[in-house]
Amino acid sequence: MEDRMRQFRFGADYYPEHWPRERWEQDARMMREMGLQVVRMAEFAWHKMEPEEGRFDFAWLDEAIEILGKQGIFTMLGTPTAAPPAWLIEKEPSILPVDSQGQRKGFGGRHHDCQSNESYRKHVRRIVTAMAEHYKGNPYVFAWQIDNELGNSHGDLCMCESCRRAFHGWLERKYKTIERLNEEWGTVFWSQTYDRFEQIPAPRQTPTVHNPSLLLDWKRFCSDLVIDFSHEQVKILREICPHQRITHNLMGFYDKTDYFSYGEELDFASNDQYPYGYYFEAPGQPSYEVAGCMDFIRSVKHQNFWMMEMQAGPTGGGVIGQAPRPGQLKLWTVQSIAHGADTILYFRWRTCLFGTEQFWHGILPHNGVPGRRYRELKQAIEQMTPVLEDISGVYTRGQAAFLFSYDQDWAIQIQPQHPELSYVEEIQKYYQAFYSHNVSVEFIREEDSFEAYPVLVAPLQYLMRPELEDKFLSYVSGGGILVLTMRTGVKNWNNVCMADRPLPGRLSEAVGAVIEDYDGLIWKDVKLSYKGTEGTARKWADILSLTTAKPLAVYESEFYKGQPAVSVNAYGKGKVYYLGTEPEQKILELFVGDLLEEAGISGYGQTPEGVELVMRKGQKADYLFALNHTEEACKIEEPEGFRSEKSGEIGPYGVRVYRKEHGSGHGGQTVV
Ligand code: GAL
Ligand code: ZN
């Protein structure tokens, strides 16, 4: 099965329970004709599989799996734990989650579950065990998806009594004694000192604001709880069906769960991507943001990933988004392949006639008749299959590293410093600057080795600990080029400010500067000039006092006019760049251009705005994907050594795939 899995390229999220039995054969045939080899099914079908407690009915699903299997289409099953049925909630109403106002949520959507609730866990074990036992030997079932988008639809996650008690256990394991917790959290402030763990609240709404240390531990606890909830299911599946693989549909930079930790127990990572967005903000997600999400998911295990849900039509609920433009579905498909997807499933096969998502469009429209979307994707599949055959399973690492930390993300969410400062958005701004130079990025975490990368970008290292400082210092001493920013080294890992030396703490020597003063740019932007180019600095201004560093940018207004905003310092064999502010994008791109030159990294080529170039290695050749995300045709220079059959303009939302044969200086056969 493992080998077979490697041959799966395309598929769809399929819900046979939404369609009459008579339609299934036709669907399966049409899928095969389109070039699909896999479906994901059943992730919301708890009631269909267990209409009443203990009475399981898998006959309908067996039949669907068999019909699809006969057409050469294999099945991934979802465990249905994102949708506990009404009979279960009626029996155990405590499963319903409680929000930060202390209100219990009602039955009716999905994810109406508390993940620490022991009675829920018992039922979860039952349904997962029953499914596993039933499908362990099914020749068509090759893998499992745990739950669905864990952490999604939860808002604050659950703040019920059961979760609060689980939080106590988590805190006790971390701090051992209540005295230690009081000390670490600084509960002497506002008389919040606790005598026992049992007194500690879940962060429900209070008249003012909770202790930031409590809030950070709560976020860590919630992330661990999600992983633990999933882990119970993983354990059962591993035991009963050791030959079937396990994944989960992650959601890019979604923040409720530390995906690096979660990824450790998955066989492969999967992603859900809706480039037009969930909330219909025009004009959807910019292409660099989509690219960043996919690079991130690829980096979760530093392995190629599956696209578990790829937008296949207009998205919508009560309001309907715009139709993907001709070419865009293919463009998104190729973009995901370019960023490391080996298999792509489209959400969903056919647009549902009923329920909350009746306007969230699939490949087929409501009437089930293949149209523009089916034809476009069928053609994309035909063209991309030979490329995938060569690149599938071959990993292409990013050229530069970005440090990604959930702890930093959460701590900045708790106290953003500036109303618009967000860790993920800051990461995305830097990512965008790399993207504009067509340089690829690998995301790494603190535990990873930094040494493999010539450049490490680490924005907002707001929480700091000695181990991390050591790693930064030895990376730079050894020749690495490190980029640090404002708000580095402000707090310890328990979210408490540090006072033993001026910012940025022990890293000052490597930065070659100290921050004597700073300004929150809450009411206005500040002017700055970077090597003679005028621009704007936003959100925050560290006023640098240089010791050994050289200034690269200075502020041009305010009481710190003329003082450094950006600096560079040689330290050991390497260099540290420090940006004390958020320069506007144009300046950031100039800065990154200089940085890349210094590091000897060259991008895959120059392209007009909105056109990206990404490379993936294959067994026989390298492939360069040119992706035009704009509605205008564009022209790019043929990249050196690469060939494509077509030349001239790339059409609106068009793609071109160039190939360079290994071992030969020039291109081989044609691609797209
Ligand atoms: C995803 C989810 C799917 C479906 C889709 C469209 O978030 O996993 O089940 O809801 O969005 O809304
Ligand atoms: Zn709960």
Side-chain angles (χ1 to χ4, degrees), residues 6-216:
R6 290 207 171 281
Q7 286 155 25
F8 297 151
R9 315 271 176 244
F10 293 96
D13 301 301
Y14 185 46
Y15 302 89
E17 69 275 24
H18 296 172
W19 305 102
R21 161 69 188 79
E22 305 80 67
R23 172 74 191 201
W24 296 355
E25 264 106 3
Q26 192 185 339
D27 278 338
R29 259 198 325 276
M30 281 164 65
M31 286 182 198
R32 180 178 48 77
E33 282 159 16
M34 189 183 166
L36 308 187
Q37 304 95 27
V38 276
V39 287
R40 179 199 60 182
M41 297 198 289
E43 79 278 11
F44 297 112
W46 193 329
H47 189 276
K48 283 290 283 184
M49 293 187 284
E50 192 186 16
E52 53 185 281
E53 188 171 347
R55 184 166 70 79
F56 294 102
D57 176 10
F58 295 118
W60 65 275
L61 188 54
D62 294 349
E63 212 182 343
I65 292 172
E66 170 101 14
I67 288 171
L68 290 154
K70 292 222 165 98
Q71 295 293 334
I73 295 164
F74 290 80
T75 293
M76 170 183 298
L77 288 173
T79 64
T81 53
W87 62 255
L88 177 50
I89 298 301
E90 186 180 40
K91 186 174 176 213
E92 314 267 12
S94 68
I95 290 174
L96 293 170
V98 171
D99 67 15
S100 60
Q101 314 255 12
Q103 291 272 4
R104 216 171 258 291
K105 301 264 188 204
F107 176 85
R110 60 176 170 182
H111 273 300
H112 39 262
D113 59 318
C114 158
Q115 284 156 352
S116 76
N117 184 288
E118 206 15 68
S119 4
Y120 188 45
R121 294 252 184 147
K122 196 179 76 206
H123 289 282
V124 165
R125 290 193 289 269
R126 255 173 5 82
I127 184 79
V128 174
T129 306
M131 283 182 85
E133 286 293 354
H134 190 82
Y135 289 107
K136 64 182 177 198
N138 189 306
Y140 300 121
V141 176
F142 68 95
W144 297 86
Q145 172 187 294
I146 304 291
D147 201 282
N148 188 79
E149 295 187 339
L150 279 162
N152 194 2
S153 350
H154 270 290
D156 291 321
L157 289 170
C158 178
M159 297 194 185
C160 75
E161 258 313 283
S162 155
C163 287
R164 192 172 80 93
R165 282 198 306 272
F167 184 40
H168 297 159
W170 187 95
L171 290 170
E172 203 164 344
R173 283 191 294 282
K174 176 171 175 185
Y175 294 103
K176 311 286 188 289
T177 67
I178 197 68
E179 292 74 24
R180 172 91 198 283
L181 176 142
N182 283 319
E183 183 65 30
E184 295 287 345
W185 283 10
T187 53
V188 64
F189 188 77
W190 283 353
S191 199
Q192 286 172 356
T193 305
Y194 299 105
D195 309 310
R196 297 185 317 281
F197 284 100
E198 296 73 52
Q199 294 171 332
I200 298 170
R204 285 201 190 167
Q205 225 168 51
T206 66
T208 56
V209 179
H210 278 283
N211 180 320
S213 302
L214 178 148
L215 290 173
L216 181 55

Side-chain angles (χ1 to χ4, degrees), residues 550-603:
K550 298 202 169 54
L552 292 178
V554 293
Y555 295 110
E556 296 289 1
S557 57
E558 292 312 310
F559 68 90
Y560 35 94
K561 184 173 176 195
Q563 301 215 48
V566 178
S567 66
V568 60
N569 189 48
Y571 180 83
K573 294 191 194 129
K575 286 202 161 134
V576 182
Y577 288 86
Y578 187 92
L579 295 92
T581 185
E582 184 192 289
E584 69 174 285
Q585 208 60 33
K586 165 186 90 181
I587 302 280
L588 204 53
E589 280 170 25
L590 283 179
F591 165 76
V592 168
D594 292 339
L595 174 77
L596 293 169
E597 204 181 310
E598 169 72 33
I601 298 177
S602 45

Side-chain angles (χ1 to χ4, degrees), residues 375-433:
R375 288 192 298 272
E376 182 174 317
L377 287 173
K378 183 169 191 287
Q379 196 210 35
I381 289 170
E382 274 162 21
Q383 293 179 335
M384 292 312 295
T385 297
V387 179
L388 278 166
E389 262 156 27
D390 192 27
I391 63 182
S392 179
V394 181
Y395 194 70
T396 308
R397 200 170 282 278
Q399 298 165 283
F402 274 44
L403 191 61
F404 190 88
S405 157
Y406 286 89
D407 289 297
Q408 309 289 5
D409 184 9
W410 294 329
I412 296 281
Q413 282 178 32
I414 292 164
Q415 291 170 309
Q417 320 286 295
H418 179 281
E420 279 152 33
L421 186 64
S422 124
Y423 178 76
V424 168
E425 278 172 28
E426 206 64 15
I427 290 268
Q428 279 164 341
K429 280 183 196 297
Y430 281 83
Y431 182 91
Q432 187 186 357

